[in-house]
Amino acid sequence: SSGINAEYGDQIDSPVVCISATPLVCDGTAPASSKCDHCYVPAGGDQYNVVCSGCPLGVGQASASVSLAGITKAQTAVNFTYAAPIIQYTTLSFGSETSGSFVSIGGKYFGPLGTVVQATIGPKNMSWEDRQTHGGYDCTSATITHANDAMSCSAPPGIGSSDLNTIIINIAGRASNELGYSYHVPVVSSLSPSRPETPGGTIVTIYGGDFGIPTTPDLTQVEVAFGTATTSFDDRVSGGKRCTGTPNNQTDIHPVSVFDQGSGSYGIVCYAPVGEGHEMNVVVKVADQYSDPSSTTFTYAGACVTSVSPNGVAAAIGGSTVSIFGSNFGLDGVDTIAVTIGGNTCTTPRVVEDHTAIACEVPAGRGGNLDVSVTIGGVTENCTFTGFNYITPTVTAVTDANGIRPDTDGGIFYIAGYDFGTASTAQTYTDTDISASVIPSTGISSSCGGCFIANPGQNLIQCENCPSGFGINNLTVTVASLTSNSFVFTYVGPKVSSVSPNPPVLCVDTTA
């Protein structure tokens, strides 16, 4: 203070410094709370400088006065400004988009308990003054919780990460630095319906939380995209997998609505994109934050087969092309198609009409009323067509082991023809899917005891214990429920091996 001389080490006349909001006579009447704990003139220093420690906490504008040897003058007080507050960290800094959350703020120069403090959370690089002008960013219930270095408040609703948002406090008209503040990332809990159709356009509702502020939703800040867990959001978007506000319109990028379900649950309504497969997931983007792709999975609807064409004409050896019709087959070019007919693989499957038609090459097989199943993107069908028929078998000859007409005693029959079914090698056991019946002229049918494919060419059947007979008969073969033509064959005719007596006795007419 001007006009007061001090000598270093003058313990008798040690200086006393008082600090207050207004100039104060620093004498014995001054409150103890206004005085610094210890003051001295530094060694070798300027006699007009005084160094103090343990001075009172304060904020904003203040006044300092010095008493030396009991002499003080209010008019010698010096005005100064306390340092602006500095934010160093926050805890519980993740807020809820819907109602904000309690946040603790640590730093320095916050002042004593009871100091009035204000706080805002707003766009990065927006000044304190601009935040006051725009409104809507104030934290509520801002309070100093520990003198000089800790405070708390309730964050306002908002969205985005610390790359977009910062917190600023203001004490006694002095604004702090800004520190990044992140709101909760969006969370997806379920999708309904859980199996959208592959052509897209299904209205779906995505349930979860922190999808924005439902009371005043800004849909321009919300996007939704489908894909696999390893697909980035940008790749989903470039691949046409947004869940949009218009059916099958990837340019209308934002959802139909965000709504409040109550009890902390929220929903997004949008139109599902075209797709197929299982273990798919939904990612919700709110501002610059994304939901966890692994939080929930869903499966597109499985393929449903309704008909095949042609039907009943495919040869047992396979190789002909069949068209399969239905729904949820995916797009032309999908490379994860699997088709089976009667449990056997239909080769070279391909989508020939988006979502509704597939073509493939019929496998070798036999029988009728066979299941046709389609798997798209690893998704098993949710309905199967039962009714595919191979062409009926045809019988062209019936012989015995020597290639001649069967003996009247019956026994082993060899039945030649085609479309008898599959066999990679000649079989030596009874095939329960093959039977043969002999219908004699009497009309009473008899069956052979057991039949099987007798050669790899699949054009010969061997049947055991076939019935005895004579004359002209009919034979049919049934292969896996399909019955052949009725083939007419003749048992070997009667053969005379001897005459007795030989020569025969001559008969003489004795009546003449």
Side-chain angles (χ1 to χ4, degrees):
S1 297
S2 177
I4 300 178
N5 296 327
E7 298 290 341
Y8 169 72
D10 187 349
Q11 299 299 318
I12 297 174
D13 297 323
S14 295
V16 177
V17 175
C18 296
I19 295 177
S20 60
T22 58
L24 178 70
V25 175
C26 194
D27 58 15
T29 64
S33 61
S34 69
K35 297 177 181 180
C36 297
D37 290 341
H38 176 69
C39 298
Y40 63 93
V41 177
D46 191 325
Q47 65 175 344
Y48 298 111
N49 290 335
V50 176
V51 177
C52 297
S53 62
C55 294
L57 296 176
V59 294
Q61 296 287 331
S63 177
S65 56
V66 177
S67 172
L68 194 63
I71 301 173
T72 184
K73 294 182 180 180
Q75 62 268 29
T76 62
V78 176
N79 294 326
F80 70 95
T81 303
Y82 277 94
I86 295 176
I87 303 174
Q88 295 175 317
Y89 63 90
T90 62
T91 57
L92 300 177
S93 61
F94 288 94
S96 167
E97 278 86 342
T98 57
S99 60
S101 67
F102 181 84
V103 56
S104 295
I105 304 167
K108 55 186 178 179
Y109 312 141
F110 291 179
L113 292 173
T115 297
V116 176
V117 59
Q118 295 173 284
T120 67
I121 296 174
K124 187 176 182 179
N125 297 324
M126 178 182 281
S127 69
W128 174 268
E129 291 75 18
D130 287 343
R131 296 184 187 201
Q132 301 309 301
T133 300
H134 287 81
Y137 302 121
D138 289 341
C139 294
T140 58
S141 304
T143 305
I144 301 297
T145 57
H146 188 273
N148 204 45
D149 59 13
M151 64 164 290
S152 65
C153 66
S154 294
I159 57 176
S161 73
S162 57
D163 290 335
L164 300 181
N165 303 299
T166 58
I167 187 167
I168 301 176
I169 67 172
N170 189 298
I171 298 175
R174 304 205 69 188
S176 70
N177 60 309
E178 58 177 351
L179 188 68
Y181 183 86
S182 291
Y183 284 92
H184 279 156
V185 298
V187 176
V188 175
S189 59
S190 63
L191 176 79
S192 179
S194 60
R195 300 193 72 179
E197 302 290 313
T198 67
T202 303
I203 296 178
V204 296
T205 302
I206 300 159
Y207 297 100
D210 294 315
F211 293 155
I213 309 171
T215 53
T216 55
D218 181 2
L219 293 180
T220 63
Q221 295 290 325
V222 181
E223 293 182 57
V224 181
F226 290 7
T228 62
T230 58
T231 307
S232 71
F233 191 86
D234 288 344
D235 286 344
R236 295 171 189 230
V237 169
S238 62
K241 300 302 181 184
R242 278 192 176 106
C243 195
T244 62
T246 305
N248 295 322
N249 181 353
Q250 289 294 301
T251 61
D252 183 11
I253 66 175
H254 302 295
V256 176
S257 65
V258 176
F259 63 93
D260 187 349
Q261 287 249 109
S263 301
S265 178
Y266 299 87
I268 296 174
V269 176
C270 55
Y271 292 91
V274 173
E276 66 278 324
H278 70 300
E279 295 185 355
M280 310 297 288
N281 58 57
V282 179
V283 172
V284 173
K285 177 185 177 184
V286 178
D288 66 335
Q289 295 179 303
Y290 303 86
S291 64
D292 180 2
S294 64
S295 62
T296 185
T297 59
F298 73 93
T299 298
Y300 273 95
C304 185
V305 180
T306 56
S307 64
V308 297
S309 180
N311 196 3
V313 299
I317 60 173
S320 60
T321 299
V322 64
S323 295
I324 301 168
F325 301 98
S327 59
N328 293 314
F329 292 163
L331 293 171
D332 180 14
V334 63
D335 58 359
T336 53
I337 307 175
V339 180
T340 60
I341 296 177
N344 298 316
T345 300
C346 196
T347 58
T348 323
R350 62 272 185 195
V351 174
V352 294
E353 186 172 342
D354 289 348
H355 310 291
T356 60
I358 292 172
C360 59
E361 277 58 67
V362 177
R366 62 190 183 188
N369 294 321
L370 301 176
D371 288 344
V372 178
S373 68
V374 174
T375 299
I376 303 290
V379 180
T380 303
E381 74 286 342
N382 59 11
C383 61
T384 299
F385 176 78
T386 300
F388 179 85
N389 299 315
Y390 282 91
I391 194 170
T392 55
T394 298
V395 176
T396 59
V398 178
T399 67
D400 64 6
N402 298 315
I404 60 175
R405 290 180 294 172
D407 191 85
T408 55
D409 291 336
I412 297 175
F413 282 12
Y414 285 90
I415 304 167
Y418 47 88
D419 292 314
F420 291 154
T422 57
S424 58
T425 59
Q427 299 170 339
T428 58
Y429 56 87
T430 298
D431 188 332
T432 57
D433 280 342
I434 302 176
S435 62
S437 297
V438 175
I439 307 173
S441 56
T442 60
I444 301 175
S445 175
S446 298
S447 298
C448 297
C451 303
F452 54 86
I453 301 294
N455 69 340
Q458 306 169 26
N459 58 5
L460 186 66
I461 293 174
Q462 178 179 330
C463 292
E464 309 281 345
N465 302 316
C466 292
S468 59
F470 61 90
I472 298 173
N473 294 259
N474 291 290
L475 181 141
T476 61
V477 170
T478 299
V479 177
S481 79
L482 296 181
T483 301
S484 71
N485 59 311
S486 182
F487 181 76
V488 178
F489 77 99
T490 305
Y491 281 96
V492 67
K495 180 176 67 175
V496 177
S497 59
S498 63
V499 177
S500 179
N502 189 15
V505 176
L506 179 63
C507 294
V508 179
D509 185 358
T510 59
T511 61

